[in-house]
Amino acid sequence: MSKDKKRVSSDSEDLLKNIGDRLQKQRAKDREDDEQAGKEEEVKEKEAAEEKAKETEKEAKEAPADETADDEDIPSWDDNREPYLTSYTINPEMEDIYDDIRRTFRMELNLTLSKQQAIALGWKLLNNLDPKFFEEVRATCSPEDNLIEALKDIIDEFY
Amino acid sequence: MAEIISIVNQKGGVGKTTTSHNLSYALAEEGKQTLLIDLDPQMNLSTTLGIDCYAQKNSIYNVLKDKELPLGSVIRETDHDNLSIIPSAFELSGAEIEFTKRISSASLLSRSISNSMSDDYDFILIDCPPSLGILTINALSASDYLIIPMQPEVYALYGIDMLLSTIEEIQEEINSNLKIMGVLITMHDGRLSLHKEMTEKIHGYFKNNVFDTLIKTNTTLKEAQSNNQSIFEYDGRARGAKNYQSLAREVIEHVEG
C-alpha cells in the first residue's frame, strides 16, 4: 500500500463535515438553552430579592410610620402597599394581563417614577379606583396632570 | 435527580452493550448510584449480569404495557454495590408492532420513570436496541443525554447522519431537553492506518462533541463478556478497564460541570 494512498474518500470527508456541523449546531443550541435558563434563574432571584427588600422596607416603615403618622402632611402611597400586594393573590385573573399592564405603566411612567414604583402604583390603581389615590400620586410623585389622565386611560383600558 | 443517559446507535456491533455495562460499573465504582435499563430485546446485557430474563414474573415489557405497574417493581439488584438493573424481556421484540398502535407510545418509558425513582439514582443508563424504532424513541424521549458509540469507519458515518435526524425530530416534538453528550470512538485499533486517520478527522470535524477517551480494541473486553463479567471484575488492570474508568470520569465531569 502506498503511503500517499487516500484512505478516507472526499464523500466520506463531506459527510464527516456535515455531521460535525450538525453536532456543533446542537452544542450551540445547548449553550443558548443553558444561558436562557441561567437568565431566567437570575430574573427569578432578582424578583425574589426585590420582594424581600420590599418586605424588609415595609416592616422597617411600619413601626416609625405609626409613631410619626400625625406629623405627615403629605400622604405617601409607598406607605400603603398592602392592597396591591394582596391583590396579586386574591385576583388571579389579573395575572393574565399583568405583563401588559406592567409594560404600559413602565412606558407611561418611566420619566417620573422608578420601574418598581410604576409597577406598585399600577397595582394599587387597578385595585383602588378611588380618586384620592390619584391625588395622592399627584402630591407625592408627579406634578404632571397629564400623567394622571394617562393613568386613568390605562386603567379604563385594562380594568 | 438522576441524569438519564441513552447509549444509542442504530448500527449493531458498535459497542453499545459493552459500553453500557462497563460504564455503569465504572460509575458505580466512582460511588455513583447507577441504574441500568436494558431496552434491547436481544437481552445480552441482562444475561451478562446473570439474569434469567425468561423467568421474570413482570418485566420492563409489562411496565411499558401497563401504566399502573411501577418501574420500580422490576428493578433488580446486582452483585455490585451501587449498581441495579431493569432487565430486558423477550416480549420486547414485539414492541414495535404492539406499542406503535398506541397514542403517546413514544413516552411510555419517560412516563414510568417517576420522580421518586429518579431521586434514588445519580445515573440511569439505557442500553438501546440497534434500530431507530419505538424502543429507541422511548429511550430518547426519557433521556437527558446521549452517548453515541461508533467505530472509526466510514459506514458508521451514514448511521450517525440518520441518527442525528431522529434526534433532531425528538428534540423538536417530544423532548427538548435531550442533549448529545458526545460521540464515543470504540474498537479503535491503533495498528490500522484507517482508524488513525478516521479518528483524527472525527476529532477535527466533531471538535468537542467527541469524548477524549478512546475505547481501544481489546481482547480482554471480549473475554470479560464471555465470562459474564465487566472488564473491572475480569481484569481491572486491563487497558479496557482504564478506558472505561476514564470515560466515567469524563461523563461525571460533563454532568457536574
Side-chain angles (χ1 to χ4, degrees), chain A residues 82-114:
Chain A
E82 200 60 35
Y84 75 79
L85 283 175
T86 52
S87 69
Y88 192 75
T89 49
I90 62 169
N91 284 336
E93 74 274 10
M94 286 292 173
E95 292 181 36
D96 297 337
I97 54 168
Y98 176 67
D99 283 338
D100 285 340
I101 294 168
R102 188 171 58 173
R103 261 194 298 276
T104 315
F105 269 111
R106 274 183 198 170
M107 228 157 50
E108 295 290 341
L109 297 169
N110 63 6
L111 291 176
T112 50
L113 299 176
S114 74

PDB file of all heavy atoms in Angstrom, chain A residues 82-114:
ATOM      1  N   GLU A  82     -50.211  47.559  50.934  1.00  0.00           N
ATOM      2  CA  GLU A  82     -50.923  46.316  51.244  1.00  0.00           C
ATOM      3  C   GLU A  82     -51.935  45.895  50.162  1.00  0.00           C
ATOM      4  O   GLU A  82     -51.935  44.744  49.737  1.00  0.00           O
ATOM      5  CB  GLU A  82     -51.609  46.438  52.603  1.00  0.00           C
ATOM      6  CG  GLU A  82     -51.966  45.099  53.243  1.00  0.00           C
ATOM      7  CD  GLU A  82     -50.760  44.213  53.490  1.00  0.00           C
ATOM      8  OE1 GLU A  82     -49.674  44.728  53.817  1.00  0.00           O
ATOM      9  OE2 GLU A  82     -50.909  42.986  53.333  1.00  0.00           O
ATOM     10  N   PRO A  83     -52.772  46.829  49.689  1.00  0.00           N
ATOM     11  CA  PRO A  83     -53.797  46.398  48.717  1.00  0.00           C
ATOM     12  C   PRO A  83     -53.222  45.738  47.473  1.00  0.00           C
ATOM     13  O   PRO A  83     -53.706  44.711  47.035  1.00  0.00           O
ATOM     14  CB  PRO A  83     -54.511  47.706  48.361  1.00  0.00           C
ATOM     15  CG  PRO A  83     -54.243  48.599  49.495  1.00  0.00           C
ATOM     16  CD  PRO A  83     -52.900  48.234  50.013  1.00  0.00           C
ATOM     17  N   TYR A  84     -52.195  46.328  46.897  1.00  0.00           N
ATOM     18  CA  TYR A  84     -51.696  45.719  45.659  1.00  0.00           C
ATOM     19  C   TYR A  84     -50.909  44.449  45.933  1.00  0.00           C
ATOM     20  O   TYR A  84     -50.873  43.535  45.127  1.00  0.00           O
ATOM     21  CB  TYR A  84     -50.907  46.707  44.788  1.00  0.00           C
ATOM     22  CG  TYR A  84     -49.521  47.040  45.260  1.00  0.00           C
ATOM     23  CD1 TYR A  84     -48.479  46.156  45.017  1.00  0.00           C
ATOM     24  CD2 TYR A  84     -49.248  48.248  45.894  1.00  0.00           C
ATOM     25  CE1 TYR A  84     -47.197  46.461  45.429  1.00  0.00           C
ATOM     26  CE2 TYR A  84     -47.976  48.547  46.301  1.00  0.00           C
ATOM     27  CZ  TYR A  84     -46.949  47.650  46.074  1.00  0.00           C
ATOM     28  OH  TYR A  84     -45.692  47.944  46.473  1.00  0.00           O
ATOM     29  N   LEU A  85     -50.288  44.366  47.103  1.00  0.00           N
ATOM     30  CA  LEU A  85     -49.553  43.147  47.427  1.00  0.00           C
ATOM     31  C   LEU A  85     -50.505  41.974  47.566  1.00  0.00           C
ATOM     32  O   LEU A  85     -50.279  40.899  47.024  1.00  0.00           O
ATOM     33  CB  LEU A  85     -48.765  43.326  48.738  1.00  0.00           C
ATOM     34  CG  LEU A  85     -47.490  44.142  48.649  1.00  0.00           C
ATOM     35  CD1 LEU A  85     -46.894  44.325  50.026  1.00  0.00           C
ATOM     36  CD2 LEU A  85     -46.475  43.479  47.731  1.00  0.00           C
ATOM     37  N   THR A  86     -51.600  42.185  48.285  1.00  0.00           N
ATOM     38  CA  THR A  86     -52.532  41.077  48.490  1.00  0.00           C
ATOM     39  C   THR A  86     -53.348  40.811  47.239  1.00  0.00           C
ATOM     40  O   THR A  86     -53.732  39.691  46.976  1.00  0.00           O
ATOM     41  CB  THR A  86     -53.484  41.375  49.664  1.00  0.00           C
ATOM     42  OG1 THR A  86     -54.068  42.628  49.430  1.00  0.00           O
ATOM     43  CG2 THR A  86     -52.759  41.374  50.983  1.00  0.00           C
ATOM     44  N   SER A  87     -53.601  41.863  46.447  1.00  0.00           N
ATOM     45  CA  SER A  87     -54.447  41.668  45.278  1.00  0.00           C
ATOM     46  C   SER A  87     -53.828  40.692  44.291  1.00  0.00           C
ATOM     47  O   SER A  87     -54.510  40.036  43.534  1.00  0.00           O
ATOM     48  CB  SER A  87     -54.702  42.990  44.574  1.00  0.00           C
ATOM     49  OG  SER A  87     -53.503  43.441  43.982  1.00  0.00           O
ATOM     50  N   TYR A  88     -52.523  40.594  44.312  1.00  0.00           N
ATOM     51  CA  TYR A  88     -51.867  39.678  43.380  1.00  0.00           C
ATOM     52  C   TYR A  88     -52.344  38.252  43.607  1.00  0.00           C
ATOM     53  O   TYR A  88     -52.503  37.473  42.696  1.00  0.00           O
ATOM     54  CB  TYR A  88     -50.350  39.752  43.557  1.00  0.00           C
ATOM     55  CG  TYR A  88     -49.625  39.054  42.448  1.00  0.00           C
ATOM     56  CD1 TYR A  88     -49.528  39.633  41.192  1.00  0.00           C
ATOM     57  CD2 TYR A  88     -49.077  37.800  42.651  1.00  0.00           C
ATOM     58  CE1 TYR A  88     -48.888  38.993  40.171  1.00  0.00           C
ATOM     59  CE2 TYR A  88     -48.430  37.144  41.627  1.00  0.00           C
ATOM     60  CZ  TYR A  88     -48.331  37.747  40.384  1.00  0.00           C
ATOM     61  OH  TYR A  88     -47.709  37.096  39.374  1.00  0.00           O
ATOM     62  N   THR A  89     -52.612  37.925  44.855  1.00  0.00           N
ATOM     63  CA  THR A  89     -53.068  36.566  45.114  1.00  0.00           C
ATOM     64  C   THR A  89     -54.592  36.452  45.086  1.00  0.00           C
ATOM     65  O   THR A  89     -55.104  35.423  44.702  1.00  0.00           O
ATOM     66  CB  THR A  89     -52.557  36.063  46.484  1.00  0.00           C
ATOM     67  OG1 THR A  89     -52.837  37.060  47.444  1.00  0.00           O
ATOM     68  CG2 THR A  89     -51.073  35.776  46.461  1.00  0.00           C
ATOM     69  N   ILE A  90     -55.282  37.514  45.469  1.00  0.00           N
ATOM     70  CA  ILE A  90     -56.739  37.352  45.521  1.00  0.00           C
ATOM     71  C   ILE A  90     -57.415  37.653  44.185  1.00  0.00           C
ATOM     72  O   ILE A  90     -58.561  37.333  44.004  1.00  0.00           O
ATOM     73  CB  ILE A  90     -57.395  38.189  46.644  1.00  0.00           C
ATOM     74  CG1 ILE A  90     -57.136  39.680  46.403  1.00  0.00           C
ATOM     75  CG2 ILE A  90     -56.936  37.741  48.018  1.00  0.00           C
ATOM     76  CD1 ILE A  90     -57.937  40.580  47.293  1.00  0.00           C
ATOM     77  N   ASN A  91     -56.699  38.232  43.261  1.00  0.00           N
ATOM     78  CA  ASN A  91     -57.275  38.490  41.945  1.00  0.00           C
ATOM     79  C   ASN A  91     -56.488  37.738  40.866  1.00  0.00           C
ATOM     80  O   ASN A  91     -55.755  38.342  40.101  1.00  0.00           O
ATOM     81  CB  ASN A  91     -57.243  39.978  41.603  1.00  0.00           C
ATOM     82  CG  ASN A  91     -58.305  40.754  42.339  1.00  0.00           C
ATOM     83  OD1 ASN A  91     -59.310  40.180  42.739  1.00  0.00           O
ATOM     84  ND2 ASN A  91     -58.086  42.035  42.499  1.00  0.00           N
ATOM     85  N   PRO A  92     -56.654  36.441  40.805  1.00  0.00           N
ATOM     86  CA  PRO A  92     -55.809  35.688  39.868  1.00  0.00           C
ATOM     87  C   PRO A  92     -56.016  36.094  38.409  1.00  0.00           C
ATOM     88  O   PRO A  92     -55.111  35.985  37.602  1.00  0.00           O
ATOM     89  CB  PRO A  92     -56.203  34.225  40.105  1.00  0.00           C
ATOM     90  CG  PRO A  92     -57.481  34.268  40.840  1.00  0.00           C
ATOM     91  CD  PRO A  92     -57.532  35.555  41.566  1.00  0.00           C
ATOM     92  N   GLU A  93     -57.225  36.584  38.085  1.00  0.00           N
ATOM     93  CA  GLU A  93     -57.458  36.970  36.676  1.00  0.00           C
ATOM     94  C   GLU A  93     -56.540  38.109  36.253  1.00  0.00           C
ATOM     95  O   GLU A  93     -56.255  38.297  35.076  1.00  0.00           O
ATOM     96  CB  GLU A  93     -58.938  37.319  36.440  1.00  0.00           C
ATOM     97  CG  GLU A  93     -59.409  38.642  37.003  1.00  0.00           C
ATOM     98  CD  GLU A  93     -59.837  38.553  38.469  1.00  0.00           C
ATOM     99  OE1 GLU A  93     -59.595  37.500  39.105  1.00  0.00           O
ATOM    100  OE2 GLU A  93     -60.402  39.522  38.970  1.00  0.00           O
ATOM    101  N   MET A  94     -56.055  38.854  37.234  1.00  0.00           N
ATOM    102  CA  MET A  94     -55.140  39.951  36.942  1.00  0.00           C
ATOM    103  C   MET A  94     -53.820  39.451  36.377  1.00  0.00           C
ATOM    104  O   MET A  94     -53.139  40.142  35.637  1.00  0.00           O
ATOM    105  CB  MET A  94     -54.836  40.739  38.221  1.00  0.00           C
ATOM    106  CG  MET A  94     -55.958  41.597  38.681  1.00  0.00           C
ATOM    107  SD  MET A  94     -56.217  42.920  37.521  1.00  0.00           S
ATOM    108  CE  MET A  94     -57.701  43.613  38.187  1.00  0.00           C
ATOM    109  N   GLU A  95     -53.468  38.251  36.763  1.00  0.00           N
ATOM    110  CA  GLU A  95     -52.182  37.727  36.303  1.00  0.00           C
ATOM    111  C   GLU A  95     -52.125  37.624  34.792  1.00  0.00           C
ATOM    112  O   GLU A  95     -51.079  37.763  34.183  1.00  0.00           O
ATOM    113  CB  GLU A  95     -51.917  36.355  36.926  1.00  0.00           C
ATOM    114  CG  GLU A  95     -51.681  36.461  38.419  1.00  0.00           C
ATOM    115  CD  GLU A  95     -51.392  35.116  39.034  1.00  0.00           C
ATOM    116  OE1 GLU A  95     -50.729  34.307  38.380  1.00  0.00           O
ATOM    117  OE2 GLU A  95     -51.842  34.897  40.167  1.00  0.00           O
ATOM    118  N   ASP A  96     -53.285  37.370  34.182  1.00  0.00           N
ATOM    119  CA  ASP A  96     -53.305  37.212  32.726  1.00  0.00           C
ATOM    120  C   ASP A  96     -52.883  38.486  32.011  1.00  0.00           C
ATOM    121  O   ASP A  96     -52.249  38.447  30.966  1.00  0.00           O
ATOM    122  CB  ASP A  96     -54.705  36.814  32.250  1.00  0.00           C
ATOM    123  CG  ASP A  96     -55.091  35.459  32.815  1.00  0.00           C
ATOM    124  OD1 ASP A  96     -54.165  34.709  33.165  1.00  0.00           O
ATOM    125  OD2 ASP A  96     -56.293  35.180  32.903  1.00  0.00           O
ATOM    126  N   ILE A  97     -53.286  39.604  32.578  1.00  0.00           N
ATOM    127  CA  ILE A  97     -52.962  40.850  31.881  1.00  0.00           C
ATOM    128  C   ILE A  97     -51.842  41.611  32.592  1.00  0.00           C
ATOM    129  O   ILE A  97     -51.495  42.718  32.218  1.00  0.00           O
ATOM    130  CB  ILE A  97     -54.216  41.753  31.736  1.00  0.00           C
ATOM    131  CG1 ILE A  97     -54.865  41.976  33.102  1.00  0.00           C
ATOM    132  CG2 ILE A  97     -55.194  41.167  30.747  1.00  0.00           C
ATOM    133  CD1 ILE A  97     -55.911  43.077  33.086  1.00  0.00           C
ATOM    134  N   TYR A  98     -51.287  40.977  33.606  1.00  0.00           N
ATOM    135  CA  TYR A  98     -50.282  41.645  34.425  1.00  0.00           C
ATOM    136  C   TYR A  98     -49.109  42.176  33.589  1.00  0.00           C
ATOM    137  O   TYR A  98     -48.693  43.321  33.735  1.00  0.00           O
ATOM    138  CB  TYR A  98     -49.787  40.679  35.505  1.00  0.00           C
ATOM    139  CG  TYR A  98     -48.671  41.243  36.334  1.00  0.00           C
ATOM    140  CD1 TYR A  98     -48.896  42.319  37.190  1.00  0.00           C
ATOM    141  CD2 TYR A  98     -47.395  40.716  36.259  1.00  0.00           C
ATOM    142  CE1 TYR A  98     -47.879  42.843  37.940  1.00  0.00           C
ATOM    143  CE2 TYR A  98     -46.366  41.234  37.011  1.00  0.00           C
ATOM    144  CZ  TYR A  98     -46.612  42.308  37.853  1.00  0.00           C
ATOM    145  OH  TYR A  98     -45.601  42.827  38.593  1.00  0.00           O
ATOM    146  N   ASP A  99     -48.618  41.312  32.684  1.00  0.00           N
ATOM    147  CA  ASP A  99     -47.456  41.711  31.891  1.00  0.00           C
ATOM    148  C   ASP A  99     -47.770  42.916  31.004  1.00  0.00           C
ATOM    149  O   ASP A  99     -46.958  43.820  30.874  1.00  0.00           O
ATOM    150  CB  ASP A  99     -46.957  40.551  31.037  1.00  0.00           C
ATOM    151  CG  ASP A  99     -46.175  39.568  31.892  1.00  0.00           C
ATOM    152  OD1 ASP A  99     -45.691  39.990  32.958  1.00  0.00           O
ATOM    153  OD2 ASP A  99     -46.074  38.405  31.499  1.00  0.00           O
ATOM    154  N   ASP A 100     -48.956  42.919  30.420  1.00  0.00           N
ATOM    155  CA  ASP A 100     -49.345  44.040  29.564  1.00  0.00           C
ATOM    156  C   ASP A 100     -49.433  45.324  30.373  1.00  0.00           C
ATOM    157  O   ASP A 100     -48.953  46.382  29.970  1.00  0.00           O
ATOM    158  CB  ASP A 100     -50.732  43.784  28.936  1.00  0.00           C
ATOM    159  CG  ASP A 100     -50.632  42.766  27.832  1.00  0.00           C
ATOM    160  OD1 ASP A 100     -49.504  42.569  27.317  1.00  0.00           O
ATOM    161  OD2 ASP A 100     -51.665  42.171  27.489  1.00  0.00           O
ATOM    162  N   ILE A 101     -50.062  45.188  31.525  1.00  0.00           N
ATOM    163  CA  ILE A 101     -50.231  46.361  32.377  1.00  0.00           C
ATOM    164  C   ILE A 101     -48.872  46.897  32.805  1.00  0.00           C
ATOM    165  O   ILE A 101     -48.600  48.097  32.733  1.00  0.00           O
ATOM    166  CB  ILE A 101     -51.051  46.001  33.640  1.00  0.00           C
ATOM    167  CG1 ILE A 101     -52.469  45.632  33.232  1.00  0.00           C
ATOM    168  CG2 ILE A 101     -51.068  47.163  34.617  1.00  0.00           C
ATOM    169  CD1 ILE A 101     -53.264  44.991  34.348  1.00  0.00           C
ATOM    170  N   ARG A 102     -48.025  45.968  33.184  1.00  0.00           N
ATOM    171  CA  ARG A 102     -46.709  46.370  33.682  1.00  0.00           C
ATOM    172  C   ARG A 102     -45.923  47.112  32.588  1.00  0.00           C
ATOM    173  O   ARG A 102     -45.340  48.156  32.817  1.00  0.00           O
ATOM    174  CB  ARG A 102     -45.938  45.117  34.122  1.00  0.00           C
ATOM    175  CG  ARG A 102     -44.646  45.441  34.815  1.00  0.00           C
ATOM    176  CD  ARG A 102     -44.041  44.223  35.404  1.00  0.00           C
ATOM    177  NE  ARG A 102     -43.797  43.200  34.400  1.00  0.00           N
ATOM    178  CZ  ARG A 102     -43.143  42.079  34.658  1.00  0.00           C
ATOM    179  NH1 ARG A 102     -42.718  41.824  35.866  1.00  0.00           N
ATOM    180  NH2 ARG A 102     -42.926  41.202  33.713  1.00  0.00           N
ATOM    181  N   ARG A 103     -46.000  46.541  31.373  1.00  0.00           N
ATOM    182  CA  ARG A 103     -45.280  47.169  30.257  1.00  0.00           C
ATOM    183  C   ARG A 103     -45.798  48.595  30.013  1.00  0.00           C
ATOM    184  O   ARG A 103     -45.034  49.534  29.867  1.00  0.00           O
ATOM    185  CB  ARG A 103     -45.473  46.334  28.995  1.00  0.00           C
ATOM    186  CG  ARG A 103     -44.289  45.411  28.704  1.00  0.00           C
ATOM    187  CD  ARG A 103     -44.364  44.878  27.292  1.00  0.00           C
ATOM    188  NE  ARG A 103     -45.557  44.078  27.063  1.00  0.00           N
ATOM    189  CZ  ARG A 103     -45.653  42.797  27.361  1.00  0.00           C
ATOM    190  NH1 ARG A 103     -44.635  42.163  27.889  1.00  0.00           N
ATOM    191  NH2 ARG A 103     -46.752  42.117  27.137  1.00  0.00           N
ATOM    192  N   THR A 104     -47.137  48.708  29.985  1.00  0.00           N
ATOM    193  CA  THR A 104     -47.717  50.011  29.677  1.00  0.00           C
ATOM    194  C   THR A 104     -47.397  51.035  30.766  1.00  0.00           C
ATOM    195  O   THR A 104     -47.053  52.173  30.478  1.00  0.00           O
ATOM    196  CB  THR A 104     -49.249  49.889  29.524  1.00  0.00           C
ATOM    197  OG1 THR A 104     -49.516  48.753  28.726  1.00  0.00           O
ATOM    198  CG2 THR A 104     -49.842  51.116  28.875  1.00  0.00           C
ATOM    199  N   PHE A 105     -47.509  50.597  32.003  1.00  0.00           N
ATOM    200  CA  PHE A 105     -47.192  51.509  33.091  1.00  0.00           C
ATOM    201  C   PHE A 105     -45.736  51.960  33.044  1.00  0.00           C
ATOM    202  O   PHE A 105     -45.433  53.134  33.257  1.00  0.00           O
ATOM    203  CB  PHE A 105     -47.508  50.871  34.448  1.00  0.00           C
ATOM    204  CG  PHE A 105     -48.897  51.170  34.894  1.00  0.00           C
ATOM    205  CD1 PHE A 105     -49.855  50.177  34.958  1.00  0.00           C
ATOM    206  CD2 PHE A 105     -49.252  52.464  35.241  1.00  0.00           C
ATOM    207  CE1 PHE A 105     -51.141  50.457  35.356  1.00  0.00           C
ATOM    208  CE2 PHE A 105     -50.546  52.752  35.640  1.00  0.00           C
ATOM    209  CZ  PHE A 105     -51.499  51.746  35.698  1.00  0.00           C
ATOM    210  N   ARG A 106     -44.879  51.016  32.736  1.00  0.00           N
ATOM    211  CA  ARG A 106     -43.463  51.390  32.642  1.00  0.00           C
ATOM    212  C   ARG A 106     -43.266  52.432  31.559  1.00  0.00           C
ATOM    213  O   ARG A 106     -42.564  53.410  31.717  1.00  0.00           O
ATOM    214  CB  ARG A 106     -42.617  50.162  32.281  1.00  0.00           C
ATOM    215  CG  ARG A 106     -42.210  49.366  33.477  1.00  0.00           C
ATOM    216  CD  ARG A 106     -41.339  48.240  33.023  1.00  0.00           C
ATOM    217  NE  ARG A 106     -41.264  47.229  34.048  1.00  0.00           N
ATOM    218  CZ  ARG A 106     -40.736  46.048  33.862  1.00  0.00           C
ATOM    219  NH1 ARG A 106     -40.242  45.705  32.697  1.00  0.00           N
ATOM    220  NH2 ARG A 106     -40.672  45.194  34.844  1.00  0.00           N
ATOM    221  N   MET A 107     -43.934  52.191  30.445  1.00  0.00           N
ATOM    222  CA  MET A 107     -43.799  53.093  29.310  1.00  0.00           C
ATOM    223  C   MET A 107     -44.273  54.503  29.679  1.00  0.00           C
ATOM    224  O   MET A 107     -43.636  55.485  29.393  1.00  0.00           O
ATOM    225  CB  MET A 107     -44.642  52.557  28.161  1.00  0.00           C
ATOM    226  CG  MET A 107     -43.931  52.511  26.842  1.00  0.00           C
ATOM    227  SD  MET A 107     -44.703  51.296  25.784  1.00  0.00           S
ATOM    228  CE  MET A 107     -46.423  51.689  25.868  1.00  0.00           C
ATOM    229  N   GLU A 108     -45.447  54.534  30.329  1.00  0.00           N
ATOM    230  CA  GLU A 108     -46.054  55.813  30.652  1.00  0.00           C
ATOM    231  C   GLU A 108     -45.334  56.546  31.770  1.00  0.00           C
ATOM    232  O   GLU A 108     -45.343  57.759  31.844  1.00  0.00           O
ATOM    233  CB  GLU A 108     -47.528  55.605  31.067  1.00  0.00           C
ATOM    234  CG  GLU A 108     -48.412  55.092  29.969  1.00  0.00           C
ATOM    235  CD  GLU A 108     -48.653  56.129  28.880  1.00  0.00           C
ATOM    236  OE1 GLU A 108     -48.452  57.326  29.127  1.00  0.00           O
ATOM    237  OE2 GLU A 108     -49.029  55.715  27.771  1.00  0.00           O
ATOM    238  N   LEU A 109     -44.766  55.776  32.680  1.00  0.00           N
ATOM    239  CA  LEU A 109     -44.282  56.390  33.914  1.00  0.00           C
ATOM    240  C   LEU A 109     -42.772  56.481  34.042  1.00  0.00           C
ATOM    241  O   LEU A 109     -42.261  57.025  35.001  1.00  0.00           O
ATOM    242  CB  LEU A 109     -44.823  55.604  35.121  1.00  0.00           C
ATOM    243  CG  LEU A 109     -46.333  55.603  35.263  1.00  0.00           C
ATOM    244  CD1 LEU A 109     -46.744  54.589  36.311  1.00  0.00           C
ATOM    245  CD2 LEU A 109     -46.848  56.974  35.651  1.00  0.00           C
ATOM    246  N   ASN A 110     -42.061  55.963  33.086  1.00  0.00           N
ATOM    247  CA  ASN A 110     -40.624  55.847  33.321  1.00  0.00           C
ATOM    248  C   ASN A 110     -39.890  57.182  33.431  1.00  0.00           C
ATOM    249  O   ASN A 110     -38.758  57.226  33.848  1.00  0.00           O
ATOM    250  CB  ASN A 110     -39.962  54.935  32.290  1.00  0.00           C
ATOM    251  CG  ASN A 110     -40.086  55.487  30.896  1.00  0.00           C
ATOM    252  OD1 ASN A 110     -40.565  56.593  30.713  1.00  0.00           O
ATOM    253  ND2 ASN A 110     -39.668  54.702  29.921  1.00  0.00           N
ATOM    254  N   LEU A 111     -40.557  58.237  33.047  1.00  0.00           N
ATOM    255  CA  LEU A 111     -39.873  59.530  33.155  1.00  0.00           C
ATOM    256  C   LEU A 111     -39.910  60.071  34.576  1.00  0.00           C
ATOM    257  O   LEU A 111     -39.029  60.795  34.988  1.00  0.00           O
ATOM    258  CB  LEU A 111     -40.525  60.549  32.223  1.00  0.00           C
ATOM    259  CG  LEU A 111     -40.320  60.281  30.741  1.00  0.00           C
ATOM    260  CD1 LEU A 111     -41.086  61.298  29.913  1.00  0.00           C
ATOM    261  CD2 LEU A 111     -38.841  60.333  30.395  1.00  0.00           C
ATOM    262  N   THR A 112     -40.945  59.705  35.307  1.00  0.00           N
ATOM    263  CA  THR A 112     -41.089  60.311  36.633  1.00  0.00           C
ATOM    264  C   THR A 112     -41.000  59.325  37.795  1.00  0.00           C
ATOM    265  O   THR A 112     -40.767  59.723  38.915  1.00  0.00           O
ATOM    266  CB  THR A 112     -42.442  61.040  36.735  1.00  0.00           C
ATOM    267  OG1 THR A 112     -43.442  60.128  36.302  1.00  0.00           O
ATOM    268  CG2 THR A 112     -42.454  62.289  35.901  1.00  0.00           C
ATOM    269  N   LEU A 113     -41.196  58.064  37.499  1.00  0.00           N
ATOM    270  CA  LEU A 113     -41.166  57.079  38.575  1.00  0.00           C
ATOM    271  C   LEU A 113     -40.154  55.979  38.267  1.00  0.00           C
ATOM    272  O   LEU A 113     -39.877  55.692  37.113  1.00  0.00           O
ATOM    273  CB  LEU A 113     -42.540  56.411  38.744  1.00  0.00           C
ATOM    274  CG  LEU A 113     -43.718  57.291  39.095  1.00  0.00           C
ATOM    275  CD1 LEU A 113     -44.974  56.454  39.106  1.00  0.00           C
ATOM    276  CD2 LEU A 113     -43.506  57.921  40.453  1.00  0.00           C
ATOM    277  N   SER A 114     -39.671  55.354  39.314  1.00  0.00           N
ATOM    278  CA  SER A 114     -38.799  54.209  39.084  1.00  0.00           C
ATOM    279  C   SER A 114     -39.676  53.046  38.594  1.00  0.00           C
ATOM    280  O   SER A 114     -40.900  53.070  38.750  1.00  0.00           O
ATOM    281  CB  SER A 114     -38.105  53.804  40.372  1.00  0.00           C
ATOM    282  OG  SER A 114     -39.042  53.159  41.210  1.00  0.00           O
TER     283      SER A 114
END
